[in-house]
Amino acid sequence: MKLIHTADWHLGQTFHGQERHAEQRAFLDWLLATLEARRPDALLIAGDIFDVVNPSLRAQEMLYDFIVEAHQRLPQLTIVMIAGNHDSGNRIELPAPLMQRLNTHALGRVSWLDDGWLNAERLLVPLTDADGEVRAWCLALPFLRPAEVTGGTAPSGDETDDASRNTYVTGITRVHQQLIDAARERRAPGQALIAMSHAHLHGAAVSEASERPIVIGGEESIPASLFPDDIAYVALGHLHRAQQVGEERIRYSGSPLPLDFSEVAYPHQVVEVTLDGEALRDVESLPVPRPVAMHRLGPATLDDVLAELDTLEDTPDLPRERWPWLEVRVELEAPMPDLRARVDAALDGKTLRLLRLERRLPRVAAEDAPARIDLAALGPRKLFERTWQARWGEPPADDVLADFDRLRQDVLDNEETP
């Protein structure tokens, strides 16, 4: 059996205020062609399908057009997708009854039965081969919000005490254990177990700037030990850097496109997984072509940056929507009011789109000059930490940061229209 694992599409993302529909559609076209050439039995999409909980109509059209086209080209292909922390679980599940007619399973939330046990049945998706025989089971775990995993009542006989039962990590552990137990009971000999989750695992490498903390400060990451050895493959989403976590069978596919200038050097890919009965046989990375180039110049002096700019290839035949994105970082010894004008002059006539110009001034003591803050580069969490430090003379404690992360996630979740 063959699977394709991908994640973190972030459809509808705006990049420093610019739309990226052309890039995202180019990726989806490439993925359709790859599916047709490789002919996998299943496509696993491990969350953050959209960039925001209220995606644009165009972003939703891209997803649903892709699903319809994939089904037309490969009617036997099973698609399983889960919600990530950028997605609305309700929105992902809303068209689920219609998508099931296209052999697509959309899981946005977990739910609990009246007896306090996880409703595992709805999270287990059978994966069939070309002959229609069930060869594997996908344990599809959408992003787990605290209210979903701490709100259920543990069944009688559970040895954990009330305090630990209501913690986020304990709740996540319970969900994984109950789902894995249900999958073990359901599968027949020779059928593989495939886990798909949107989470931050201990030891995994995060991006420099583009990944939002999952939920709760230091409690956001979970151990890879939640996935026992009889799980043949773990398809992860959330972290944009493609990587394995400890074992070959536990992998982040990474995002198919760079979502920030800090991700320019990442290998962007999807992962092809081949199973042999219950076991993993092979894993192959399939590089995703980059439809729009992305350049990050500096940090360096203005002269060095302009010299580097001159070396960039100019492609005048490209349509504007395919012009490369550009970030310029300039180190200054003193303020330079005409910096933007000088950079713009160097770009005149070039098929480049300057999205960000960063000025790096010499470090000065706080008493010599007021602090300069680039809000776009800093982000809400760092801004909060700096504000707290300035107000109280010490950094915020871990529990304060945890409260801030909870409140921010609540605000982001409530952006969704009821």
Side-chain angles (χ1 to χ4, degrees):
M1 171 166 249
K2 188 186 294 183
L3 317 171
I4 296 289
H5 163 209
T6 180
D8 296 281
W9 292 1
H10 289 266
L11 298 178
Q13 185 210 23
T14 56
F15 195 43
H16 296 273
Q18 303 297 310
E19 292 183 344
R20 305 187 72 183
H21 297 311
E23 293 172 88
Q24 292 165 344
R25 188 166 295 282
F27 159 66
L28 295 176
D29 289 343
W30 172 87
L31 182 56
L32 284 169
T34 300
L35 293 173
E36 202 166 16
R38 296 278 179 159
R39 311 215 47 102
D41 300 292
L43 172 66
L44 308 181
I45 311 172
D48 279 358
I49 298 162
F50 298 116
D51 191 56
V52 293
V53 295
N54 273 322
S56 67
L57 179 60
R58 195 168 178 184
Q60 295 178 69
E61 286 176 345
M62 280 195 289
L63 173 65
Y64 302 133
D65 286 348
F66 168 82
I67 291 172
V68 170
E69 184 65 23
H71 184 69
Q72 289 177 344
R73 297 190 192 188
L74 298 167
Q76 292 181 308
L77 175 71
T78 300
I79 300 177
V80 187
M81 60 183 189
I82 58 174
N85 61 307
H86 279 252
D87 298 313
S88 160
N90 289 335
R91 184 178 296 278
I92 293 296
E93 288 196 353
L94 184 62
L98 292 175
M99 286 196 288
Q100 285 178 0
R101 294 179 176 270
L102 302 173
N103 207 17
T104 298
H105 305 264
L107 289 307
R109 295 189 178 278
V110 299
S111 59
W112 300 89
L113 302 174
D114 292 340
D115 60 3
W117 286 89
L118 175 73
N119 184 357
E121 190 71 21
R122 65 187 297 273
L123 302 177
L124 294 175
V125 179
L127 303 180
T128 56
D129 62 14
D131 298 322
E133 296 292 328
V134 176
R135 296 299 183 188
W137 290 89
C138 179
L139 291 66
L141 269 177
F143 169 61
L144 299 172
R145 288 177 166 79
E148 294 176 289
V149 298
T150 63
T153 303
S156 59
D158 193 312
E159 295 180 358
T160 59
D161 58 34
D162 290 339
S164 63
R165 186 185 302 131
N166 289 325
T167 66
Y168 182 50
V169 174
T170 299
I172 287 179
T173 301
R174 183 157 60 101
V175 168
H176 282 76
Q177 290 173 343
Q178 293 187 17
L179 182 57
I180 291 169
D181 289 344
R184 287 167 172 165
E185 292 180 6
R186 172 61 72 89
R187 77 163 171 184
Q191 295 175 347
L193 297 182
I194 307 298
M196 179 163 59
S197 182
H198 192 89
H200 180 182
L201 263 61
H202 290 333
V206 301
S207 297
E208 176 184 320
S210 59
E211 288 149 357
R212 178 192 305 164
I214 279 267
V215 176
I216 308 175
E219 291 186 349
E220 68 178 64
S221 57
I222 61 176
S225 59
L226 285 180
F227 304 104
D229 291 341
D230 58 343
I231 304 294
Y233 184 77
V234 182
L236 295 169
H238 175 56
L239 299 185
H240 300 166
R241 186 196 298 266
Q243 59 192 289
Q244 71 178 52
V245 185
E247 306 174 57
E248 184 183 33
R249 68 187 180 97
I250 303 177
R251 285 182 178 265
Y252 287 95
S253 66
S255 60
L257 298 172
L259 300 169
D260 184 82
F261 283 108
S262 63
E263 299 178 9
V264 167
Y266 288 5
H268 296 279
Q269 61 177 40
V270 301
V271 181
E272 183 181 77
V273 180
T274 305
L275 303 172
D276 186 1
E278 299 180 9
L280 176 67
R281 186 170 77 188
D282 187 45
V283 174
E284 182 180 356
S285 298
L286 306 179
V288 177
R290 191 167 296 180
V292 175
M294 188 178 290
H295 302 300
R296 193 182 206 196
L297 306 186
T301 64
L302 179 60
D303 288 342
D304 289 342
V305 166
L306 295 181
E308 190 176 358
L309 185 59
D310 283 339
T311 66
L312 296 181
E313 182 181 0
D314 195 27
T315 49
D317 295 335
L318 281 179
R320 184 174 179 82
E321 64 184 14
R322 293 297 181 93
W323 288 10
W325 305 116
L326 177 65
E327 179 188 45
V328 174
R329 298 171 294 169
V330 182
E331 293 178 335
L332 300 175
E333 293 298 325
M336 185 181 293
D338 64 342
L339 175 62
R340 179 59 188 251
R342 295 175 67 173
V343 173
D344 285 342
L347 289 171
D348 187 37
K350 293 183 179 292
T351 53
L352 295 167
R353 289 178 286 181
L354 177 63
L355 292 188
R356 186 164 184 264
L357 175 59
E358 179 185 349
R359 299 164 174 83
R360 295 196 173 188
L361 297 176
R363 293 183 177 273
V364 294
E367 61 271 18
D368 295 334
R372 298 175 62 87
I373 299 176
D374 182 348
L375 295 180
L378 198 61
R381 200 171 194 267
K382 286 294 184 184
L383 180 60
F384 173 77
E385 291 182 43
R386 291 182 61 156
T387 304
W388 183 282
Q389 175 81 39
R391 175 65 179 82
W392 300 105
E394 60 184 22
D398 290 344
D399 59 340
V400 175
L401 289 174
D403 287 341
F404 175 82
D405 289 337
R406 288 191 186 93
L407 289 170
R408 185 174 179 228
Q409 187 67 51
D410 287 344
V411 170
L412 293 167
D413 291 343
N414 288 334
E415 288 177 0
E416 178 185 2
T417 303

